[in-house]
Structures are given as structure tokens and as C-alpha cells.
Amino acid sequence: MFNPSQDDVRRFFCETFRKYHAKEILTPLETIAADWISQHPEYAEDFRDVEAALQRNYSVDSGKTNPFLHLSMHLTIAEQVTINQPHGVRVAYEALAHKKNSIHEAHHEMMDCLGEMIWNSQRNGTPPDGEAYLSALMRRAGK
């Protein structure tokens, strides 16, 4: 299992941003990331300088969304939907995308559920509960 560090993630997004704007060849994962980067122009400044990105603190107190976490969640959800894991996530995604009439908004709804699952797992010291996650998605989708 791949377990990148915070610095690895930040370097990945900064390098993807650079390559995308330089019109260089992207890997398949970078292509997906570049698509989400392009849908979040408000984060462009965060990706321009890798050294600054490595030093930046996105604490809750700062009041600024962590763009690296946000885009990592987009990538996680894209992967979940592609492989349909947890089983049924693709159905929930499609229902949310239809309900919201937006793939992007469906992702944001899913992020709320994913974040809650991760928070509960960390708080309780238990493995992530894919069934609870899927149930939360289905409720949001109206299923």
C-alpha cells in the first residue's frame, strides 16, 4: 500500500501543476490530478512554489482550506468510484451526481462523508468503517 508523506503529496500536486501549465506529458494519475487542479483555480498560488508549499501550515485556526488535502480527497473518491470500493460507492456517486447535476458537487458531498468516516476512525481508534461511509452516501443521495 502506498503511504505518501505530507511532503510527498505536496510535491506531487506542485509538480503536476507545473507540468500541466508547461504542457508536459502527465502520468495517468497526474492527468486526473490536473483535471481537479484546473477545477480549483483558487488554489493556483498554493501550487506555484513547492518550497513555500512544504512550509505552509493549514491549521483549522488559519481559516484556509488545505488545497492538498482537498485535492487528495478528490483523487481518493475518483479511485473509489473507478474500482467501486467500498462496493456500492459507484451507485451512490452516480445518484449524487444526478441529484446535484454536477460531478464536482457530488465529490464535495462525498468528501463530507469520507471526512466524517476518517474522523470517527481516528477518534475511536478503529479501522475506517466502509459500511457507515456507504450508508451516509446513500442517505445524501436519497437512496
Side-chain angles (χ1 to χ4, degrees), residues 3-59:
N3 189 17
S5 70
Q6 175 179 288
D7 286 357
D8 293 336
V9 169
R10 291 179 182 202
R11 281 187 183 96
F12 168 78
F13 283 111
C14 290
E15 179 63 5
T16 299
F17 178 86
R18 186 198 65 73
K19 286 173 69 176
Y20 174 75
H21 287 284
K23 298 189 181 350
E24 294 178 14
I25 295 171
L26 302 172
T27 68
L29 183 59
E30 288 170 336
T31 300
I32 296 167
D35 180 49
W36 288 110
I37 288 170
S38 71
Q39 292 185 53
H40 286 283
E42 70 274 21
Y43 298 150
E45 286 306 312
D46 294 286
F47 302 128
R48 289 190 200 287
D49 181 348
V50 68
E51 292 307 316
L54 294 173
Q55 300 304 315
R56 202 166 286 124
N57 181 359
Y58 294 97
S59 69

